[in-house]
């Protein structure tokens, strides 16, 4: 049992050393926004459009208003962060 654990550990050590020697592994992440920021903007537009359309409907009530506001507010903060970052990137 002990020899199996030792041999497995040795094989793992050799394979990880080989992997590291074969190619450089970067431990840094690039600064910037994710490419999924566009989805947040599209979601914000969709929720704002839905709120505008549903507010004219006869079924409009405070529960629908609250639900849409809870969806819109985080997306609005994300949109503001995206705009600020893009402007700072240009400057």
């Amino acid at each position: 049992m002990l020899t199996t654990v030792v041999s497995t550990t040795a094989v793992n050590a050799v394979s990880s050393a080989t992997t590291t020697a074969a190619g450089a592994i970067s431990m840094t992440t690039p600064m910037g926004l994710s490419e999924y920021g566009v989805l947040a903007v599209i979601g914000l537009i969709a929720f704002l459009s839905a709120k505008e359309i549903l507010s004219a409907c006869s079924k409009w009530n405070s529960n629908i208003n609250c639900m849409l506001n809870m969806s819109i507010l985080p997306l609005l903060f994300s949109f503001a962060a995206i705009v600020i970052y893009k402007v700072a990137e240009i400057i």
Side-chain angles (χ1 to χ4, degrees):
M1 176 74 177
L2 184 60
T3 58
T4 309
V5 172
V6 171
S7 65
T8 304
T9 306
V11 169
N12 288 341
V14 169
S15 67
S16 67
T18 305
T19 304
T20 306
I25 298 173
S26 175
M27 297 299 288
T28 61
T29 57
M31 292 299 292
L33 295 173
S34 161
E35 60 272 1
Y36 302 112
V38 173
L39 294 177
V41 174
I42 291 171
L44 178 63
I45 292 169
F47 279 123
L48 287 171
S49 300
K51 185 174 180 177
E52 188 67 29
I53 292 168
L54 290 174
S55 65
C57 182
S58 63
K59 304 278 187 193
W60 183 256
N61 60 24
S62 62
N63 290 335
I64 296 174
N65 187 28
C66 182
M67 182 205 56
L68 287 172
N69 284 340
M70 288 185 344
S71 301
I72 290 171
L73 195 61
L75 290 173
L76 194 61
F77 288 143
S78 298
F79 177 74
I82 290 169
V83 169
I84 290 170
Y85 181 79
K86 291 292 186 180
V87 169
E89 190 177 62
I90 292 171
I91 294 177

